[in-house]
Amino acid sequence: GFFRTRKSAFYRKAISYQPVSGSSTYTVEGTENSVYMTLSVPLALSAENKMTSEIAAMVLKKSLSAAMEPAGMYVSVSSNTTIYPQERFNVMITLKEASEDGFASGMEHSTALDALDLIRSELSGLESAEVADNVLKAYKEWLKNDMSYRMKSPLYWLNAISMRHIEGKDFTTDYKARIDAVTADKVKQILAMLNNASKVEYIIRK
């Protein structure tokens, strides 16, 4: 009530958008074995789906990390959501050779193609994987703390306010209750979607 405001209108050009389905794989020669994979699925971005997708990314990272450790590789998993021109959930997976410091005797780095096979196998297995109650509870608490930390930044609120008024999306109000509402079945649904996602694989091999 102490500063002037005015109504604003935002116009977007209508576009014809047809996402590409299926998968593409590219292989190049390099100095070390590594794999880069991007998965993308259409997902209606309700607050519930937004929170569920973030927890699904945590489950995926833990599963891939455990699967790749014997292969001498380490995994990085990041995710984001896009609204325009289509609401989607995207996951980026990076797989690189771990440092040989601390390697067990006789352990070697996996080849890039073997590592890719392990990722594919792990993704397909996640459709039937169980998410234990104690694990889900821990992820929920971590996400609540992370959300609380994000909210300390003015940039978070600039984005949240813009999102609310331009996109009609609110991922902030009652976020703790929305996180608590996430179920293991909902997480598994999104993991199953990722296994059948539009996919790009980029392999670098020695």
Side-chain angles (χ1 to χ4, degrees):
F2 296 99
F3 55 91
R4 291 176 294 175
T5 62
R6 60 186 178 89
K7 294 182 178 179
S8 299
F10 299 88
Y11 298 94
R12 280 183 172 160
K13 183 179 179 181
I15 64 172
S16 177
Y17 176 71
Q18 179 59 48
V20 177
S21 60
S23 62
S24 300
T25 303
Y26 305 90
T27 304
V28 299
E29 300 297 320
T31 58
E32 70 173 9
N33 294 316
S34 56
V35 176
Y36 300 84
M37 181 184 292
T38 298
L39 311 171
S40 182
V41 295
L43 182 68
L45 289 180
S46 63
E48 177 184 58
N49 283 347
K50 170 70 171 174
M51 303 308 179
T52 304
S53 67
E54 294 207 30
I55 291 177
M58 298 179 202
V59 174
L60 178 61
K61 180 178 181 179
K62 180 180 179 180
S63 177
L64 290 178
S65 296
M68 299 310 303
E69 184 176 354
M73 311 290 278
Y74 73 90
V75 180
S76 298
V77 176
S78 61
S79 63
N80 63 35
T81 51
T82 54
I83 293 177
Y84 184 79
Q86 185 185 49
E87 296 182 2
R88 300 185 72 85
F89 174 50
N90 313 296
V91 174
M92 289 67 68
I93 301 169
T94 301
L95 189 64
K96 294 186 176 182
E97 294 180 342
S99 170
E100 294 184 0
D101 293 340
F103 262 26
S105 177
M107 185 175 178
E108 296 181 355
H109 292 119
S110 170
T111 67
L113 293 179
D114 286 343
L116 178 61
D117 284 342
L118 284 171
I119 290 181
R120 289 173 175 172
S121 176
E122 197 65 22
L123 283 172
S124 64
L126 285 175
E127 292 193 45
S128 57
E130 293 299 324
V131 182
D133 290 341
N134 62 323
V135 173
L136 183 60
K137 181 179 179 181
Y139 287 149
K140 288 180 179 181
E141 290 304 314
W142 190 94
L143 183 54
K144 289 177 189 177
N145 291 335
D146 187 58
M147 287 282 293
S148 178
Y149 177 79
R150 295 182 214 172
M151 291 179 188
K152 295 178 181 179
S153 168
L155 290 177
Y156 174 90
W157 290 105
L158 286 173
N159 182 64
I161 292 170
S162 298
M163 188 82 67
R164 181 179 297 179
H165 292 286
I166 298 175
E167 310 288 356
K169 302 291 184 182
D170 178 10
F171 303 134
T172 303
T173 303
D174 294 331
Y175 72 93
K176 291 184 178 180
R178 288 167 168 173
I179 293 172
D180 284 333
V182 173
T183 67
D185 285 342
K186 292 174 184 176
V187 172
K188 289 172 64 177
Q189 287 174 7
I190 291 184
L191 291 173
M193 291 170 62
L194 288 174
N195 184 45
N196 299 290
S198 298
K199 183 189 307 177
V200 176
E201 302 166 335
Y202 190 82
I203 302 104
I204 301 174
R205 62 182 183 180
K206 291 180 181 178

